[in-house]
Amino acid sequence: MSRLEESRSMLAGRLNVSTGKFAVEEVDEPHAGRGQVRIAVRAAGVCLSDVHLIQGILKPLYLQGDTVTLGHETAGVIDEVGEGVHGLTVGERVLLQAGEIRGGSVLTRGVDYDGGWAQHAVATAGTVVPIPDTLSFEQACFIPDAVSTPWAAITATAGVQPARAVGVWGVGGLGAHAVQLLRMIGAAPIVAIDPLPSARERALQFGADLALDPEDPEFASLVGEATGGTGLAYAFDFAGVAGVRVQAARSLARWGKLILVGLTDQPLTVPDGTRFSFLEQQIRGHYGSGPEHVLELLSLVALHRVEFSGSVSGTLPLAQAAEAVRQLDAKENNPIRLILMP
């Protein structure tokens, strides 16, 4: 029987980026081409970036056509291996890197090409990473991005040193993991900032030393008290809000670094340029992570240095992807990661 004759349909969460229409619909199953594998998806994370894509706040740069299957956080089981692939076999449990380099450009899965909100997903073999049997699909799927992005921001972009004061603005899907990872590498004190009381409570559970409301009139003095009057050596914006960046910049110590992880199209404002220059402070942009950061995290998981069971806020069937998007956008029950189960 030919592959054409074997063609079957599957469910996929598809977004038309021109019209903004999102729906879970039936499409033809993909097959692994040369240098590719296909996985039967077992879990796929729902990220705020997915919400922003549906809302039109984010736009794909390299998408061919108008429609894409969403989902850049994906784990499952290899069920088809294409020609020319070595070292990967049918039945292996794997996660997929959130993107890859093609023709010198960084393309993101579920943005620039079809992602994991589907019953099956095709991936270039080099983006497929085996995972141990002890790591659940629900926890594995979001290591690329929800965990690897803050890890890369902390270790590569900021170069955080132990026993240095750190501020984390926004304790959602990325910020909550940032607090956990900062605690692991010895940053101290860790100050978490979020307007939601439940997020502040979660930050303390994940290892923050202090959790503050950004609207607290005593905010500046509380940060000063926590840092011995010096300010923050590192401030991370995981919220992507212009006002956050102003407040974070004002909280920096001499030689302090402001790391911009959350995405926004709003202008960046330095509240006091002379002071910023006099104190030799820095602002650094950050985006995503590299394949090496995912591998580092899997090593840490294997050594029981970190685990992410507390990050799975709920699971929904793939058919209810739109409901998962609504819950995340509304911050219903303050989720870290909602997981779609095809």
Side-chain angles (χ1 to χ4, degrees):
M1 183 180 291
S2 71
R3 175 163 290 179
L4 181 62
E5 292 171 324
E6 293 174 352
S7 180
R8 297 184 297 177
S9 64
M10 67 171 187
L11 290 180
R14 302 280 285 172
L15 172 67
N16 185 306
V17 297
S18 296
T19 65
K21 179 185 176 182
F22 172 78
V24 176
E25 55 194 30
E26 286 198 0
V27 299
D28 289 340
E29 276 188 3
H31 290 281
R34 183 170 183 81
Q36 297 179 325
V37 302
R38 188 182 75 172
I39 71 166
V41 178
R42 295 290 184 262
V46 182
C47 177
L48 194 58
S49 296
D50 299 312
V51 177
H52 289 166
L53 280 164
I54 292 172
Q55 294 173 338
I57 297 172
L58 293 179
K59 296 288 188 182
L61 292 177
Y62 305 107
L63 178 64
Q64 301 294 312
D66 293 325
T67 307
V68 65
T69 298
L70 297 182
H72 54 275
E73 299 177 346
T74 311
V77 178
I78 296 176
D79 70 351
E80 193 174 279
V81 177
E83 294 180 8
V85 175
H86 304 284
L88 295 170
T89 58
V90 170
E92 272 193 279
R93 304 171 77 254
V94 299
L95 61 75
L96 304 182
Q97 297 279 7
E100 61 188 281
I101 297 176
R102 296 185 191 173
S105 298
V106 177
L107 275 64
T108 301
R109 187 183 310 280
V111 179
D112 299 304
Y113 59 98
D114 285 345
W117 288 12
Q119 292 176 295
H120 292 87
V122 169
T124 303
T127 67
V128 180
V129 183
I131 58 174
D133 292 341
T134 53
L135 180 61
S136 72
F137 293 118
E138 294 93 328
Q139 295 179 46
C141 69
F142 59 78
I143 289 178
D145 191 29
V147 189
S148 64
T149 291
W151 178 246
I154 290 165
T155 59
T157 301
V160 172
Q161 297 296 310
R164 304 288 297 279
V166 182
V168 175
W169 271 260
V171 194
L174 298 183
H177 292 122
V179 169
Q180 183 180 4
L181 296 168
L182 286 163
R183 181 86 180 193
M184 181 186 67
I185 67 172
I190 301 169
V191 183
I193 303 98
D194 199 290
L196 296 177
S198 57
R200 296 196 295 273
E201 178 61 30
R202 179 172 67 198
L204 295 172
Q205 294 172 357
F206 273 51
D209 298 288
L210 180 66
L212 299 177
D213 184 338
E215 299 299 325
D216 190 324
E218 302 298 319
F219 180 87
S221 62
L222 290 170
V223 171
E225 181 181 343
T227 61
T230 62
L232 302 170
Y234 312 93
F236 290 89
D237 168 27
F238 288 101
V241 176
V244 160
R245 297 174 171 191
V246 171
Q247 187 177 59
R250 285 179 173 148
S251 304
L252 289 176
R254 185 174 185 85
W255 303 302
K257 298 176 183 177
L258 170 57
I259 312 300
L260 310 180
V261 186
L263 303 178
T264 177
D265 58 0
Q266 296 302 303
L268 174 63
T269 301
V270 177
D272 186 340
T274 299
R275 180 179 182 274
F276 189 88
S277 295
F278 180 75
L279 296 179
E280 300 179 72
Q281 295 165 338
Q282 299 179 36
I283 298 175
R284 296 187 177 184
H286 179 85
Y287 184 81
S289 61
E292 69 276 15
H293 299 115
V294 171
L295 297 177
E296 289 167 0
L297 287 164
L298 287 173
S299 296
L300 291 169
V301 169
L303 292 167
H304 306 290
R305 299 297 179 91
V306 288
E307 65 92 26
F308 305 112
S309 59
S311 299
V312 179
S313 303
T315 61
L316 295 89
L318 175 61
Q320 294 182 24
E323 170 61 14
V325 168
R326 186 199 65 78
Q327 290 182 22
L328 181 59
D329 185 39
K331 294 185 171 59
E332 192 171 290
N333 299 317
N334 194 23
I336 297 178
R337 266 301 177 268
L338 296 172
I339 308 298
L340 298 177
M341 309 289 284

